[in-house]
């Protein structure tokens, strides 16, 4: 059984919105640091948000205001809501997890990964 499953990507026009979903196993959801990452073509994978579901949530400064995190504890699910999508938001979006603090870090710090969902923003 997959520990993390992500869905919700698609093709959107600039200015549109999308909501991505990350469903975690119970253990991962309750005990791990969770994160959203994205990787645009030809670029490094970058962090979007770090989440401790019973603690704090952070969003990368440059994305604040357009990227919103929410959660449904009963469903072990995280949501990444993206508003006012821009062409530069085109990327593969991933949900990831790591066991130990700090709840932050780069790609190499995270040991559990979902398969990714593609977001394309174009007119």
């Amino acid at each position: 059984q997959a520990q993390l499953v992500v869905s919700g990507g698609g093709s959107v026009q600039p200015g549109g919105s999308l909501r991505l979903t990350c469903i975690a196993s119970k253990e991962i959801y309750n005990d791990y640091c969770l994160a959203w990452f994205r990787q645009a073509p030809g670029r490094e994978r970058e962090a979007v948000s770090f989440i401790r579901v019973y603690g704090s949530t952070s969003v990368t400064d440059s994305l604040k205001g357009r990227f919103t995190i929410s959660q449904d504890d009963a469903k072990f699910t995280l949501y990444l809501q993206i508003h006012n999508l821009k062409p530069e938001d085109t990327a593969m979006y991933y949900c990831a997890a790591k066991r130990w603090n700090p709840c932050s870090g780069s790609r190499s710090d995270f040991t559990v990964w979902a398969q990714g969902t593609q977001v394309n923003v174009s007119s």
Side-chain angles (χ1 to χ4, degrees):
Q1 182 178 358
Q3 294 179 297
L4 290 172
V5 178
V6 67
S7 62
S11 294
V12 186
Q13 292 187 338
S17 297
L18 273 179
R19 188 178 77 165
L20 308 184
T21 299
C22 175
I23 301 174
S25 67
K26 180 179 179 180
E27 179 189 9
I28 294 285
Y29 189 84
N30 287 334
D31 298 335
Y32 281 54
C33 164
L34 295 162
W36 287 99
F37 281 80
R38 68 180 184 179
Q39 187 166 14
R43 301 192 65 175
E44 295 291 319
R45 193 169 298 186
E46 63 174 353
V48 171
S49 178
F50 300 107
I51 307 105
R52 277 284 187 189
V53 295
Y54 301 114
S56 61
T57 297
S58 64
V59 175
T60 297
D61 285 345
S62 62
L63 304 177
K64 287 179 180 177
R66 296 196 302 117
F67 286 59
T68 304
I69 309 300
S70 60
Q71 60 193 66
D72 185 335
D73 297 339
K75 297 180 180 180
F76 309 128
T77 299
L78 291 177
Y79 302 100
L80 174 63
Q81 182 79 48
I82 312 174
H83 301 283
N84 189 22
L85 277 154
K86 303 177 180 181
E88 53 264 40
D89 294 320
T90 294
M92 185 73 78
Y93 284 73
Y94 299 89
C95 184
K98 58 180 284 193
R99 182 65 179 88
W100 306 111
N101 283 328
C103 190
S104 62
S106 62
R107 175 181 184 173
S108 61
D109 296 315
F110 285 77
T111 57
V112 184
W113 288 87
Q115 78 285 5
T117 188
Q118 181 69 40
V119 173
N120 293 314
V121 185
S122 69
S123 55

